[in-house]
Structures are given as C-alpha cells and as structure tokens.
Amino acid sequence: MARRALYDYLYPAAPQDLERDPESMYVFTSQRAAWLRQQGCPDHLSARGIEHLWAQFKRQGSYEEWQLIADIPFHDLRHDFAHRARQSGWSLEEIAVYAGHQTKDGVPAIATTVRYTLPSRKQLKERVQLLQG
Amino acid sequence: MTTRSTDSPPLQEFAAALGGCDPKTAAAYLTTVRDFVAWLASQPGGRPFHLGLVTETAVRGYMDFLVTVNRAPRTRSKALSALRRFCQWAVDEGHLRRNPARAMERPTVVAVAPTELSEKQRFVLKTMVEQHATSRFAAIFAASLLGRAAHQRDRDAATGSVHHQSTSRQHYPGRCQRRKDEDA
C-alpha cells in the first residue's frame, strides 16, 4: 500500500496531476517550493505544513469518524508504527535504526525508541491478569 | 543569529555566541532569555538589564513564575536549559563567577504517554485516505505509517531503491548535538 501510494504520487498517470515540484530534491515539497528556493530556503514540506494538511484531512470525516480521530496528532502515526513493529517482533535496535533514532556517534538511541514503545496501561493490565497465583 | 533592536547588549553577544548552534535551538534559547529579561524587568530593581541581575534568586523566581502561569514541565525544563546555557556563556565570558542556574532542579518531565492507535482508528484513517486524500497526502500518510514522518526517502523509495534522506529536519554542521531524540 505504501509503495503504491508513493509511486502514484511521484509518477502520476497524467503529468498534470503531478503534485510534487519536479525541481526539488525532496520527496514532499512545499506548495511554495519555487519561492522558497528563490529565497535560498529548503523547499520541502515543513512540519507545520504537514500538521495543516493533517487537520484539513481530519475535517473531511463524518461526525462519527471525527470523534475517533480528532485527538490524533500526525506524529502519533510514527508512534503507532513503532508499536506495531514491536508487536511484530522487531527488536528495539531495529526500530531505532529504521526510525532514524541515532546519537551523534551513529549509535542507535534506544532510550528514544523506548519512549515510542512504552506499554500502555491497557497492555500492562492485560499482563497483570496473566500473572498466576 | 536573528536579534532584535530592542535586545540588550548582553543578549546580542549571547546570540552571536550561539552561532554554531542549530538555528531553531538558538532561537528557542533567545526566546526564553528574552522572556526571562522581561520578567526580570517587572521585578524591583530589575531594569535596565545587566548580567549582575542574573542571580540564583532571579533564576529561581523566574522558574517559580513559570509554574504560576501553568507552563508544562517540559516547557519549564526547556526554559531551564536555555537559562543554564545563557549563564554558562556569562561565566565563560567572565561576567559571572558561577552559573546560578546550574544547581536548579530540573522539573520532572513525565514520560511521553505511549500512543498506539486502535483498530477502529486505523480503519477510519485508512478508509478516509482512500476516499478523500490527494495522491500527495496519501503518500505522506503511507510514509508515516512506515514510521517515516520525519525521515523520508527520496523518489527511489517508490521503485525499491533506498537512498536515505532526511527532509523534514536539516542537519547543520555546527549543531549543538546532544542526542537526536528531539523528534520523539
């Protein structure tokens, strides 16, 4: 799914559907990419831009959908990925490397990754219930 | 480093000394120190600002002030980091004999609550992406599901080749590097 979505974005069927600025070296470009380049600034989509798109996107849901997703910040998707990877058997080191958690020396920053994969209260409750005796 | 015409000379010198830092870090430090100077100005004898006013009492008073205006522990912790850096600069330059912010206890920052989406939330988000999203947003969403919100790959990602490239955060040669855990 992810690869398909990226491919469709980078190589749309019709050239006029290309939403990316082809002059840019970045994957996700700002809508003001050309202007930013003129100013000598990086022309990638900014974190604020992503948050804006995310808020716009969430508003398109029905009331029922909105109630489920209203409180989800975009960055939670990254946390969710780390949880799913952990549940799929990835080690903390693997998640750290994949998620780009590194110290300046290039060593995996496990402490950071741990913050992404802390067990929830619900998970701990389930564990406690499994205790014998 | 961007300073304002209203900044006092010590602040401008401090800003110049932060030249090697990540611009965002430097800007955050300066914002805090400006706020500290503004708070100090509202105290008896707190103006005009000079480095002699930066005492342990002043730093502690400012940190207590942040509590009274309901600043979050993480915000207060960041403010203390900025003040420590400012005071350390003043010590290094010979303006202060000791760092008054050094002994200050750092506010306890509660660990980030673990965030895992429920099955229903994932279902709703994926459905909405299929129904409403542009190809651009669908690609951003897909990348984020792979934990790539902050680290995107270049266009070869879609065709299989991997050429890692960080796009949402720049790396500066003289960056004040501690650990790159700020995106947590």
Side-chain angles (χ1 to χ4, degrees):
Chain A
M1 175 198 166
R3 186 164 288 186
R4 180 77 250 168
L6 277 168
Y7 191 91
D8 289 347
Y9 165 66
L10 295 170
Y11 308 104
Q16 67 269 22
D17 292 338
L18 182 65
E19 293 184 80
R20 179 179 168 276
D21 190 313
E23 303 287 311
S24 175
M25 64 180 282
Y26 295 103
V27 178
F28 297 116
T29 51
S30 166
Q31 287 181 324
R32 300 178 302 146
W35 182 82
L36 286 168
R37 277 198 301 276
Q38 272 183 358
Q39 306 300 312
C41 300
D43 58 355
H44 57 70
L45 182 62
S46 65
R48 190 183 288 261
I50 289 183
E51 288 299 340
H52 177 69
L53 289 174
W54 181 239
Q56 265 187 339
F57 167 74
K58 287 196 293 184
R59 280 200 291 271
Q60 295 179 70
S62 65
Y63 179 68
E64 199 182 344
E65 289 169 333
W66 168 255
Q67 283 184 313
L68 276 168
I69 61 172
D71 295 333
I72 304 175
F74 186 76
H75 196 73
D76 278 7
L77 301 182
R78 190 162 151 85
H79 282 254
D80 185 56
F81 158 76
H83 275 284
R84 285 185 291 122
R86 194 79 174 116
Q87 282 162 8
S88 303
W90 290 38
S91 68
L92 284 175
E93 291 87 346
E94 287 167 336
I95 300 173
V97 170
Y98 191 81
H101 296 157
Q102 273 183 325
T103 65
K104 63 179 179 181
D105 304 321
V107 179
I110 301 297
T112 303
T113 311
V114 166
R115 285 159 64 182
Y116 278 67
T117 56
L118 283 172
S120 64
R121 289 180 69 84
K122 186 180 158 208
Q123 287 169 327
L124 287 175
K125 254 184 171 175
E126 286 167 1
R127 287 283 185 192
V128 168
Q129 280 169 359
L130 289 176
L131 284 177
Q132 302 288 323
Chain B
M1 188 48 47
T2 312
T3 52
R4 297 174 185 168
S5 55
T6 51
D7 284 341
S8 57
L11 212 61
Q12 293 191 2
E13 286 175 39
F14 176 57
L18 289 175
C21 280
D22 177 339
K24 283 183 181 170
T25 306
Y29 282 172
L30 281 179
T31 303
T32 297
V33 177
R34 277 190 199 110
D35 193 47
F36 171 67
V37 170
W39 172 83
L40 208 50
S42 69
Q43 305 305 308
R47 69 168 68 187
F49 176 73
H50 58 90
L51 288 167
L53 294 173
V54 185
T55 59
E56 196 169 324
T57 305
V59 175
R60 193 173 294 280
Y62 176 69
M63 294 303 293
D64 290 344
F65 161 73
L66 293 182
V67 174
T68 60
V69 292
N70 294 324
R71 291 286 181 268
R74 190 172 295 277
T75 308
R76 286 186 277 128
S77 180
K78 285 179 183 171
L80 183 59
S81 297
L83 290 180
R84 280 183 179 169
R85 182 68 184 260
F86 178 60
C87 294
Q88 191 55 49
W89 164 81
V91 170
D92 294 344
E93 294 295 313
H95 301 300
L96 293 178
R97 286 173 55 200
R98 52 184 286 274
N99 185 335
R102 179 62 62 195
M104 213 67 63
E105 197 174 323
R106 189 175 286 283
T108 308
V109 176
V110 181
V112 178
T115 312
E116 185 183 8
L117 304 185
S118 68
E119 286 300 326
K120 276 187 180 176
Q121 287 173 320
R122 280 192 204 119
F123 179 82
V124 165
L125 288 173
K126 285 182 176 177
T127 306
M128 282 178 62
V129 165
E130 282 189 53
Q131 288 174 339
H132 306 295
T134 60
S135 67
R136 180 176 184 236
F137 189 81
I140 293 170
F141 181 78
S144 69
L145 281 186
L146 293 176
R148 292 293 181 182
H151 292 265
Q152 303 158 359
R153 296 176 183 198
D154 74 3
R155 70 180 76 184
D156 292 340
T159 51
S161 163
V162 176
H163 178 69
H164 197 264
Q165 183 176 61
S166 175
T167 57
S168 65
R169 179 164 288 130
Q170 285 196 59
H171 299 283
Y172 297 90
R175 185 174 181 175
C176 304
Q177 287 268 16
R178 288 184 299 277
R179 299 167 70 140
K180 283 198 229 163
D181 59 358
E182 66 268 36
D183 69 339

